[in-house]
Amino acid sequence: MTTQTRLLTAEDLWNMPDNGGHNELVDGELRTMSPAGGEHGGIIMHFGSRLTVFVEDHDLGVMMSPDTGFVIKGETDSVRCPDFAFVAKSRIPSTGVPTKFWQLVPDFACEVISPSDTLYEVEEKIQQYLQAGVRLVWLINQ
């Protein structure tokens, strides 16, 4: 007897209850991470807040926080949540910033490496961003 695991969709992830962690979907499989530590969160705020001011002052688009999901379409859904991200004004849908996950990849994504991240996980995420069309990816090593 074999057991089949059903792959999840972006919609499945959206409808899940908040478990106090950080969930992403990678090729239909749920990945749960613990909340960020203090140093990690401080780095995100340091860089993200400065970029947000620049983006707003120049009316370039929108900056997004680490709990914002971006759907990466493939054979199965992936939903990635960069530590902060930017979407250019010209790419924001005419309906505005979505209530649910973005149905596009950001123009810029930044990941702050956590002590618990493995090299494989970081490389996998960066490659997925670049292959999906993210124009610029920053990787910050705390």
Side-chain angles (χ1 to χ4, degrees), residues 52-62 86-90 92:
T52 298
V53 169
F54 181 84
V55 165
E56 289 177 353
D57 284 353
H58 295 86
D59 194 27
L60 299 175
V62 293
F86 165 75
V87 177
K89 184 177 180 178
S90 63
I92 297 172

Side-chain angles (χ1 to χ4, degrees), residues 8 13 16 19 22-32:
L8 300 175
L13 179 60
M16 286 183 181
N19 65 2
H22 177 87
N23 294 321
E24 289 186 329
L25 195 63
V26 181
D27 296 325
E29 295 182 14
L30 185 66
R31 295 209 183 150
T32 302

